[in-house]
Amino acid sequence: MNILLTGGLGFIGSHTAVVLASEGHSVVIVDNLCNSQQQTLGNLELITGKKLPFYEGDVRDVDLLKKILRDHQIECVIHFAGLKSVAESGADPLKYFDNNVSGSIVLIEAMQAEGVKKLIFSSSATVYGVPQYLPYDEEHPLAPMNVYGRTKLQVEEILQDLSKSDPDWSIVCLRYFNPIGAHESGLIGELPQGIPNNLMPYICQVVSGKLPHLNVFGDDYDTKDGTGERDYIHVMDLAEGHAAALAFTNHHQGWEAINLGTGFPYSVYDLISAFEKSAKQSIPKVVKERRSGDLPIYYAKADKAKNLLNWQGKRDLQSMCDSSWNYQDQLTRVPK
Ligand SMILES: NC(=O)c1ccc[n+]([C@@H]2O[C@H](COP(=O)([O-])OP(=O)(O)OC[C@H]3O[C@@H](n4cnc5c(N)ncnc54)[C@H](O)[C@@H]3O)[C@@H](O)[C@H]2O)c1
């Protein structure tokens, strides 16, 4: 199929591009590079051995999107383009509503105009909010605790209404849990700008000497070792989940929300120990107060993805850490 990836040079989009290209799909990328680098395109072409058409542009540019959809006879769009910092979304909500919600509306308008009616949307487990029960299944009440999560929920709702208005649409909202890891080549991975918000890129910057130590926010939660527990998922598993969702859209009409997680929570200390094993060095850490807005534990019920998409995460925590370390190690030696 001819697939457009918005935000396809970012962390999850780039790994998905590799999986889709290796399955024989024609991948086209549009990205405004606000949180990625054009060099990633060269690395994608090295890994896949294919030339991938790339447009530096914004999803809020309706004319550009229509032209890309037309020129490449796009059949399905995977919409990764979005801003993802919870902290920044609270400080600058309009920026987030504009980019994530208005950007999605413009994309949908362009798709509607060009008759492209298959869409896979990058949603997030943050749509669930404080767990009423765990694991979160897709029927769990939706009550995001921050602006970022509300932008994701709003887009999900817009898409649901759209699918009700026109049954020709096939829309899959994938609710990601906590993607980490990197492609086995070490050529692509998570490349955050500035000080990272998430645990794994932060650990990577500590081992590379850019940051002095890791802050562990709270070791007195009611969890197995007192630190927060999350459902970490290997980014290559996540990428394969998109390929499975793409196949699903071929025989599906309507709207579905599907969790992409492993169903197994790991603690901050589990992740640190596994990473220390990968990097063969210890990670300096300082225990700090809990951060407001952090949940003690959450993880996915992963059955719907297994049943509908015939997909489940298969790589373990050590493989996630080994691949992140391999990427970080190469990055430190050869700046990409
Ligand atoms: N990484 C996670 O932990 C996580 C978890 C849940 C959901 N998500 C969602 O998945 C998607 C991809 O996440 P990621 O981790 O790959 O993030 P990322 O920042 O690495 O990738 C997003 C890409 O989109 C591009 N982009 C942003 N706004 C754009 C716009 N208006 N026009 C064109 N390009 C634009 C950025 O330059 C970047 O390359 C995002 O929508 C994010 O909210 C991510």
Side-chain angles (χ1 to χ4, degrees):
M1 277 169 88
N2 300 332
I3 326 286
L4 175 63
L5 307 190
T6 72
L9 292 190
F11 174 45
I12 304 169
S14 58
H15 291 79
T16 304
V18 168
V19 169
L20 296 179
S22 74
E23 288 193 357
H25 296 290
S26 297
V27 172
V28 179
I29 294 173
V30 61
D31 197 305
N32 68 3
L33 303 179
C34 71
N35 197 35
S36 50
Q37 293 182 4
Q38 186 147 359
Q39 278 159 300
T40 299
L41 182 67
N43 290 330
L44 284 180
E45 292 179 344
L46 267 180
I47 297 170
T48 61
K50 292 179 180 167
K51 188 118 195 75
L52 305 182
F54 169 66
Y55 295 84
E56 181 176 346
D58 198 289
V59 290
R60 288 162 292 186
D61 180 345
V62 74
D63 293 330
L64 173 69
L65 289 181
K66 283 191 202 164
K67 182 173 164 26
I68 299 172
L69 294 171
R70 236 184 353 255
D71 288 357
H72 295 275
Q73 298 179 334
I74 296 296
E75 298 162 86
C76 178
V77 177
I78 309 186
H79 182 33
F80 297 102
L83 301 174
K84 62 173 181 178
S85 160
V86 168
E88 191 191 30
S89 73
D92 197 349
L94 288 184
K95 180 176 173 186
Y96 272 66
F97 285 112
D98 181 37
N99 199 82
N100 293 4
V101 181
S102 304
S104 298
I105 293 173
V106 172
L107 168 68
I108 299 160
E109 281 169 352
M111 291 176 70
Q112 184 115 280
E114 297 304 322
V116 181
K117 294 190 176 175
K118 291 183 198 301
L119 175 64
I120 298 170
F121 171 61
S122 295
S123 189
S124 166
T126 51
V127 296
Y128 294 120
V130 176
Q132 312 290 307
Y133 55 84
L134 283 173
Y136 289 132
D137 59 26
E138 289 82 354
E139 307 308 316
H140 186 283
L142 303 175
M145 297 156 62
N146 51 60
V147 171
Y148 167 70
R150 282 190 282 280
T151 68
K152 292 292 174 190
L153 180 55
Q154 288 187 6
V155 177
E156 281 202 8
E157 288 172 344
I158 291 167
L159 293 173
Q160 197 168 15
D161 285 338
L162 179 71
S163 79
K164 284 182 195 151
S165 74
D166 176 353
D168 288 345
W169 280 88
S170 171
I171 298 173
V172 183
C173 296
L174 295 175
R175 295 179 180 156
Y176 309 151
F177 280 68
N178 293 74
I180 57 172
H183 185 260
E184 59 182 8
S185 64
L187 287 169
I188 54 170
E190 188 166 10
L191 198 60
Q193 322 265 333
I195 295 187
N197 294 301
N198 295 339
L199 182 58
M200 180 57 97
Y202 205 103
I203 290 178
C204 287
Q205 297 217 353
V206 172
V207 292
S208 68
K210 284 191 193 151
L211 293 169
H213 60 259
L214 176 69
N215 296 314
V216 175
F217 294 106
D219 66 351
D220 55 354
Y221 285 112
D222 185 15
T223 55
K224 64 177 180 183
D225 60 21
T227 65
E229 293 184 37
R230 296 288 177 271
D231 186 339
Y232 295 104
I233 176 163
H234 197 301
V235 67
M236 288 304 293
D237 278 332
L238 198 68
E240 288 165 10
H242 290 76
L246 182 65
F248 176 74
T249 62
N250 281 327
H251 55 83
H252 161 261
Q253 285 176 314
W255 178 96
E256 289 290 346
I258 304 178
N259 288 339
L260 290 188
T262 63
F264 300 104
Y266 290 103
S267 72
V268 174
Y269 284 158
D270 287 335
L271 188 69
I272 295 173
S273 316
F275 199 93
E276 288 180 335
K277 211 165 144 194
S278 306
K280 298 185 181 60
Q281 56 179 284
S282 67
I283 298 167
K285 53 185 181 293
V286 175
V287 176
K288 295 267 177 76
E289 290 291 298
R290 296 176 182 191
R291 273 187 313 201
S292 84
D294 276 355
L295 294 168
I297 176 170
Y298 65 83
Y299 55 103
K301 187 161 173 63
D303 299 25
K304 190 171 177 185
K306 199 171 166 189
N307 295 335
L308 282 190
L309 307 182
N310 194 23
W311 169 93
Q312 59 185 327
K314 48 180 194 276
R315 296 162 176 90
D316 65 11
L317 187 68
Q318 198 59 56
S319 148
M320 300 178 210
C321 290
D322 288 350
S323 60
S324 284
W325 164 243
N326 178 40
Y327 173 66
Q328 183 57 43
D329 194 35
Q330 294 200 37
L331 205 58
T332 314
R333 279 191 254 164
V334 190
K336 293 189 180 82

